Structure formats: structure tokens, C-alpha cells
Amino acid sequence: MSDAVDEVENPAEELPSTAGEFAEEFPEVWEQYSELGEACAAAGPIDDETKRLVKLGTAVAAQSEGAVHSHVRRGLDEGHDPEALEQVAVLSIPTVGFPQAMAALSWITDITRDDGT
């Protein structure tokens, strides 16, 4: 079972430069890493929409701006409501703290709000 949530067909073009360069330089490692992601996604009954929100929440908690941007872009491409993606940061306030949640919200709105509001 493949995970449509995170399939990357051309890493050099679809990933941020560092990850894309890594995938080109170490294709066997990238392939194993991708297979691990697919196996993790297939390990349970969670639907793709929920998986995306979980992955975004994990990126928020890890304070990974690049991963937050990536999951928001993918979420929008998959048709997620921008407000639902933004709510992930709000939900993280009690767990990661207000300053970290606000940083994550700013990263999310970098992508969800074209006009910067």
C-alpha cells in the first residue's frame, strides 16, 4: 500500500534544495527512507487527510519551518481547508508553548495567506 500523502516522484524537483540534493547524491538511502515513510503510513487505519494534519502537527512540535511549509503546501494541494491547517498551530499552544505555536502559525500563514494578512 503506497502513501499518497507523501509520495515524491522526482525529489530534486519536488523537495527543498537540501533534501533534493541529498536524494540525488544518496539515492539508495533516499529510497530506503521513502519506503520507511510508506510503511509507517500503511501501519494503521488513519485516512490521508488525518495523516497530513498529524504530520503537520509533528512538524510544528519539532519546530521545523521547512517541514511545516512542506506539509502546508501538500495539504493545500490535497484540498485541505487553510483554516484547518492554521488551527493545527493553535492546537499546539498547550503542548509546545505560545511562542513556538506563534512561530509555527507564521510559517503556516506564509503559505495559506497570499496577501500576508
Side-chain angles (χ1 to χ4, degrees):
M1 174 179 184
S2 106
D3 180 21
V5 171
D6 281 328
E7 285 184 6
V8 177
E9 294 187 24
N10 189 341
E13 292 179 17
E14 296 178 48
L15 297 173
S17 61
T18 304
E21 291 167 6
F22 180 87
E24 284 185 334
E25 188 170 346
F26 302 100
E28 291 176 5
V29 175
W30 180 257
E31 182 179 333
Q32 294 295 312
Y33 175 71
S34 295
E35 289 178 10
L36 174 61
E38 290 175 14
C40 291
I46 297 174
D47 62 85
D48 285 348
E49 181 177 1
T50 305
K51 286 177 196 174
R52 176 63 58 219
L53 296 175
V54 168
K55 288 172 175 264
L56 176 57
T58 303
V60 166
Q63 290 289 279
S64 175
E65 182 177 5
V68 168
H69 281 163
S70 175
H71 288 296
V72 171
R73 281 189 198 98
R74 291 176 183 197
L76 291 173
D77 288 347
E78 295 162 0
H80 292 280
D81 181 343
E83 290 181 5
L85 298 170
E86 293 170 9
Q87 185 183 5
V88 171
V90 176
L91 289 168
S92 76
I93 292 170
T95 304
V96 303
F98 190 79
Q100 292 83 353
M102 293 303 97
L105 182 60
S106 74
W107 303 332
I108 293 168
T109 59
D110 283 347
I111 308 301
T112 60
R113 300 183 188 183
D114 294 336
D115 62 2
T117 60

